[in-house]
Amino acid sequence: MSESSASGRVGVHPIEHWVLHVDLDQFIAAVEVLRRPELAGVPVVVGGDGDPTKRGVVSTASYEAREYGVGSGMALRLAARKCPDAVFLPVDRDAYDEASAAVMGTLRSLEWGGRPVVVEVLGWDEAFLAAGPRPGDPEGSGRTSQLGRGRPWAGAAEELDAEATPVVEAGQGSLPPVQQEATVSLGEGPSGGPPPDPPGPLVDPVAFAEHIRSRVLEETRLHCSVGIGDNKLRAKIATEFGKPRGSFVLTAENWFEVMGVRPTTALWGIGGKTGKKLAALGIDTVNQLAASDARVLAAELGPTMGPWYHRLGRGVSDSTVSAEPWVARAHGRETTFQEDLDDWERIADEVRALTRQVKADIDKEGRPAARVGLKLRYRPFTTISRSLTLTSATNDPDELAEAAVSLLDRVEKNRPVRLLGVRLEMVPPEGGY
């Protein structure tokens, strides 16, 4: 859906009150089609080593394959049954790294309304964008402090009763009073403040989204969709309405019109398990979540997460687009066995081997492991996980391997194992995350 009529007000808020989310369309499949132009228009499935007769999962499927019901995370064998005419290809991480780097470089080269853009990379195929400071704006000024945050509070208060007792939402800060929301500038800055951005087609976020799509296609031959929002949450969700090859605007003004009747799992940050917990409380839709009592959610789902879900229901987000590189908290590896394992000495050896591989990954980060996790999948598809905190952080391979193996003492050993995974969580970097 491109530039749908169900969009919020555009061209009213200052440029620093907009956040864009760029998402490459069927990225991995698109990269493979660029390498093999003869596959254009053909169902393509990428996963494992490309052999659908073996165990493995789908990493991505082209739109043509998705029409047959093939999706990410699906077993390759099931994908082959759903779409027997699909072309199956192995995962090639180096190729995707190279293509992603080209896209992100293109995004970083852009200017929005005469300003450099701030790019926050989320992964291979997606990133947030915001306008950076104008040339000459002093560092830390009021004008620069809100860049990439979206419109202040972006709808945080309009649904609250002004007479109600304020709710402090743990881990997220307190909500601003209603009267503060009412005074947020939707146009020019306050009297005596900096002048507004000069008029021009690329100041408008919809026009700039079109510019982004054109530049990315021109430079990389890859198509993307762009979500436009007055905060990161709304921009991220908006992208799904713009796919493929389009854009969509989602703001406080049209949030409930677009999202209200949708299930809570349509929100970024709420998955199937949380959706079931909310449903048990009689909360099935975004409207119901927004109208729920944050205190009840806090009691049932935790003092931090409960109120946070309540904020999601109202589309509230106050995090800033940041170009700071992402710092990994942990690394992990897993392997699916072509034949189930029932020899637990062999399983222990496989855990040791996986742990040594992950240890090499964390060595590249320069931080030792503080916590060890084990993932185990029984036949046919029951998955469990176990973890432990080490008495002291270490990168000793033998110590880490034996810690991972010790977790096997906490699992049932009466069923064959089809998958093993090991995760090492590192100590925080100096200064924290």
Side-chain angles (χ1 to χ4, degrees), residues 243-259:
K243 283 184 171 290
R245 305 182 184 184
S247 61
F248 190 87
V249 182
L250 187 59
T251 68
E253 285 84 351
N254 69 332
W255 173 255
F256 290 108
E257 175 188 353
V258 175
M259 296 296 297

Side-chain angles (χ1 to χ4, degrees), residues 17 53 71 106 162 182 244 359 376 408 413-414:
H17 291 172
T53 66
T106 298
K359 184 265 180 185
L376 185 148
L408 292 174
K413 298 182 179 179
N414 57 355

Side-chain angles (χ1 to χ4, degrees), residues 51 100 102 149 161 224 250 267 326 335 346 370 381 419 427 433:
D51 186 346
S100 177
R149 185 179 294 279
D161 183 348
C224 66
L250 187 59
L267 295 169
W326 179 75
T335 184
R346 163 81 186 280
F381 217 77
L419 175 146
V427 298
Y433 292 105

Side-chain angles (χ1 to χ4, degrees), residues 115-140:
R115 307 179 184 203
V117 297
V118 178
V119 178
E120 179 179 336
V121 178
L122 297 183
W124 266 337
D125 60 347
E126 59 178 324
F128 285 114
L129 267 72
R134 293 190 309 184
D137 280 343
E139 182 73 24

